[in-house]
Amino acid sequence: MDWVRIFDTTLRDGEQSPGATMTPDEKIRLARKLDGMGVDVIEAGFPAASVGELSSVQQVCAVVQHAKVAALCRTRTGDIRAAWDAIKDAKHPRLHVFIATSDIHLEHKLQMTREQVLEEIRRGVSYCRELCADVEFSAEDATRSDLDFLVTALKVAVECGATTLNVPDTVGYTLPHEYEHTIRTIVNAVGPDIIVSSHCHDDLGLAVANSLAAIRGGARQVEGCMNGIGERAGNAALEEVIMALKTRPTEFGVQSRVDTKQLVGISRMVRDVTGIVVQPNKAIVGRNAFAHEAGIHQHGVLASARTYEIMDPVDVGWTTNQLVLGKHSGKHALKARLESLGFPMDEASMVEAFVRFKALCDRKKEIYDEDLVAIAIGDKLVQGGKIELESIRFESGTDVAASATVTVRVLGRATRAMATGDGPVNAALEAIRMCTGVGDVVLEDYRIAAISVGTDAQGQVNLRINAEGVVASGQATHTDVVVASAQAYIHALNHLAFQRERFGQNPPRVDSDVLAARGAV
Ligand code: KIV
Ligand code: ZN
């Protein structure tokens, strides 16, 4: 059957969003979910970047059952070896090798002639093919490349064994009609046995439109990230591409094989892992995507949802935010509800989740779906890092200076500190910083929102810190917003510790210059 393969690069290109570094545990959690919802390829990382990255990709391979797991590499031998080391034990491994083909990149970045680039493709792709039966070749900056040269380069990759050809719009420059033409030209040149793939960045806000144009031009793989995260303005938002195919089937004649009911669930998980919030008006997964404000719209929707809704919210995983469970609900009810929200729970996670659920019921009368999602994923994010919050006490008010005393465990060893501040959050964060001895940390962004309704709603805190140029984010939910802030801060500090361990002070980008400068080969 002819279908559009969904290639999810949230764990690789998505991770290149500032502050979105993921620990191995977080990559594993996302990969499981992506696999369960039916994406065809999960790009797990760029193993040549560091030993830690290579190991994260290996750990992802161990849990993915159905999807292919791809690792990205440049054409250099060291990169290819690292990528293969990382994925060779996957059930379905794929090597994804790239080199730039635009004259701009050839002249200013690679300092190579076109002939040298072709030679590099021959060498790199052939070596990949010796190691792995499934090889994808990407022509970086394809859309600013001379089309004849691009086609020549892609044909060389096919001769050397690539079976998927990716045509990245690396800098988000192309327009839908142009990209459709480029893709059609390539499809006609390489024939029906080769899968041609789109990979669009959103610098002009056209990543999804360009991806859909590519499908009309014959692309049968689309690369992108959930929530549209990624380098600079982001990648094509996969949930939008998937739902456009489903909602306008006659325009495309091909579908993806993703279970669309899991889109809201994966979107929340990506938000919680990366700390990158989803704008309320974001298509498909934004809080307001199906909210009808104007009276005339509400009236129409009540009469028939089809008047103003082109998709059924249930089809993408929205459920009504009604009261679902309470303190008398049992483990089975909780498990069933979490599963219907897209979070299958094994025995061990269920035991933990039930304990958290009961603790939440003691603090909060009414438990909503969003609370349950936080139980399924949110709380877990702050556990398992090197730094853990053991206890926190604070005082503040109109007639007392704010202060906080925290006990934090760093690699199991408890330390305690007291700090004063402008308010209890400020004091708590300062006390934690003192305990962990991380040095100067600037709080670059701090957001708090209630995740459901009522004065006892859980507060969700998303924050971003910058420690001497290394950016990390954290997220946590709790009915007490100071506790949520402390946990989110610790989540971010764990991300920071992980980045420092993995890359030193300067986390790399895939950009070849940066990597070459760092000697990452
Ligand atoms: O945007 C891009 O060109 C990429 C490639 C490395 C696939 O991410
Ligand atoms: Zn990219």
Side-chain angles (χ1 to χ4, degrees):
M1 193 193 95
D2 199 13
W3 84 98
V4 176
R5 283 104 186 131
I6 298 296
F7 179 117
D8 183 283
T9 182
T10 308
L11 307 188
R12 198 279 297 170
D13 225 333
E15 202 196 16
Q16 289 175 225
S17 316
T21 308
M22 300 169 199
T23 63
D25 229 39
E26 291 168 338
K27 282 200 174 189
I28 288 168
R29 208 169 304 135
L30 281 171
R32 277 210 171 99
K33 179 107 180 116
L34 289 165
D35 195 29
M37 65 191 280
V39 308
D40 299 274
V41 188
I42 297 171
E43 184 161 64
F46 182 58
S50 73
V51 178
E53 174 77 343
L54 191 152
S55 151
S56 298
V57 176
Q58 282 172 333
Q59 293 175 58
V60 166
C61 292
V63 300
V64 171
Q65 301 297 321
H66 312 287
K68 296 169 192 281
V69 181
L72 185 68
C73 49
R74 291 165 297 182
T75 48
R76 301 170 183 201
T77 306
D79 265 38
I80 297 172
R81 279 209 200 105
W84 180 239
D85 258 5
I87 57 163
K88 61 178 188 294
D89 293 329
K91 281 214 162 95
H92 311 286
R94 169 177 292 186
L95 280 175
H96 180 190
V97 60
F98 78 97
I99 191 165
T101 49
S102 70
D103 288 336
I104 302 174
H105 278 234
L106 263 59
E107 185 186 337
H108 299 287
K109 187 177 81 174
L110 298 174
Q111 278 133 19
M112 282 183 181
T113 62
R114 288 184 178 185
E115 204 33 67
Q116 284 171 320
V117 166
L118 295 181
E119 192 41 44
E120 211 32 40
I121 296 173
R122 267 183 215 107
R123 214 186 42 71
V125 175
S126 306
Y127 184 39
C128 285
R129 192 51 208 264
E130 275 172 36
L131 300 171
C132 184
D134 185 346
V135 175
E136 169 169 340
F137 172 72
S138 279
E140 191 189 13
D141 206 17
T143 52
R144 292 192 300 167
S145 304
D146 172 70
L147 188 52
D148 288 339
F149 178 62
L150 177 63
V151 170
T152 306
L154 294 174
K155 281 182 163 172
V156 168
V158 171
E159 279 158 28
C160 298
T163 47
T164 302
L165 296 176
N166 187 30
V167 186
D169 184 28
T170 304
V171 290
Y173 175 74
T174 198
L175 302 174
H177 67 279
E178 261 172 21
Y179 199 49
E180 181 173 342
H181 171 73
T182 303
I183 297 284
R184 185 167 289 120
T185 307
I186 295 166
V187 170
N188 290 337
V190 297
D193 296 338
I194 300 297
I195 299 289
V196 175
S197 171
S198 74
H199 178 114
C200 298
H201 282 266
D202 208 31
D203 300 65
L204 289 173
L206 291 170
V208 169
N210 286 335
S211 306
L212 294 171
I215 295 170
R216 288 174 64 94
R220 288 298 174 263
Q221 176 176 285
V222 172
E223 303 191 1
C225 296
M226 295 296 168
N227 293 349
I229 65 168
E231 186 84 54
R232 303 184 312 279
N235 289 62
L238 285 177
E239 66 279 9
E240 296 179 20
V241 174
I242 291 164
M243 286 314 292
L245 295 179
K246 186 163 180 177
T247 309
R248 303 297 305 274
T250 54
E251 290 301 308
F252 301 100
V254 274
Q255 290 291 319
S256 79
R257 302 208 290 200
V258 166
D259 173 8
T260 60
K261 288 201 164 70
Q262 300 202 38
L263 290 173
V264 169
I266 185 74
S267 161
R268 284 169 168 155
M269 202 183 256
V270 169
R271 174 199 66 189
D272 291 347
V273 163
T274 60
I276 300 174
V277 291
V278 175
Q279 73 197 59
N281 58 326
K282 165 85 183 59
I284 320 291
V285 294
R287 192 175 68 233
N288 295 345
F290 293 91
H292 302 279
E293 188 68 26
I296 194 163
H297 286 205
Q298 288 175 350
H299 175 77
V301 168
L302 286 175
S304 164
R306 287 178 57 207
T307 51
Y308 287 100
E309 278 180 2
I310 58 165
M311 294 166 270
D312 182 343
V314 173
D315 261 0
V316 301
W318 286 106
T319 53
T320 44
N321 194 24
Q322 34 174 248
L323 179 63
V324 282
L325 296 174
K327 103 198 252 172
H328 301 296
S329 309
K331 207 191 266 182
H332 289 296
L334 177 64
K335 187 166 195 289
R337 191 69 202 155
L338 286 173
E339 276 173 5
S340 80
L341 289 169
F343 297 99
M345 308 293 280
D346 59 25
E347 201 44 49
S349 338
M350 203 45 227
V351 171
E352 267 179 54
F354 196 59
V355 171
R356 289 199 298 274
F357 171 68
K358 286 290 171 191
L360 185 62
C361 290
D362 287 341
R363 300 196 302 268
K364 194 172 185 301
K365 283 198 299 291
E366 301 171 334
I367 308 291
Y368 295 87
D369 284 348
E370 282 282 6
D371 294 316
L372 297 179
V373 171
I375 282 173
I377 49 175
D379 289 4
K380 279 192 176 174
L381 297 173
V382 290
Q383 297 171 354
K386 294 189 160 167
I387 310 169
E388 286 173 304
L389 180 68
E390 187 167 292
S391 67
I392 176 164
R393 264 172 194 278
F394 46 86
E395 186 176 37
S396 69
T398 49
D399 49 5
V400 60
S403 66
T405 304
V406 299
T407 306
V408 166
R409 287 193 172 271
V410 183
L411 288 171
R413 231 188 81 238
T415 352
R416 171 186 283 237
M418 197 281 258
T420 52
D422 290 341
V425 170
N426 181 225
L429 270 45
E430 180 54 17
I432 292 169
R433 194 192 65 77
M434 286 158 65
C435 285
T436 48
V438 281
D440 286 344
V441 177
V442 177
L443 185 64
E444 281 194 338
D445 193 25
Y446 174 91
R447 284 158 211 261
I448 185 158
I451 64 170
S452 55
V453 294
T455 49
D456 62 352
Q458 294 199 82
Q460 180 167 74
V461 173
N462 277 279
L463 53 79
R464 194 174 63 238
I465 58 175
N466 186 330
E468 290 152 25
V470 183
V471 177
S473 24
Q475 186 272 344
T477 45
H478 199 279
T479 44
D480 186 314
V481 296
V482 182
V483 177
S485 305
Q487 287 179 332
Y489 195 60
I490 285 184
H491 186 213
L493 290 176
N494 277 324
H495 273 149
L496 180 72
F498 174 69
Q499 286 199 72
R500 282 182 172 169
E501 190 181 292
R502 204 161 56 149
F503 306 123
Q505 289 294 318
N506 302 303
R509 297 274 172 259
V510 162
D511 182 86
S512 312
D513 289 338
V514 180
L515 286 162
R518 294 173 48 77
V521 285

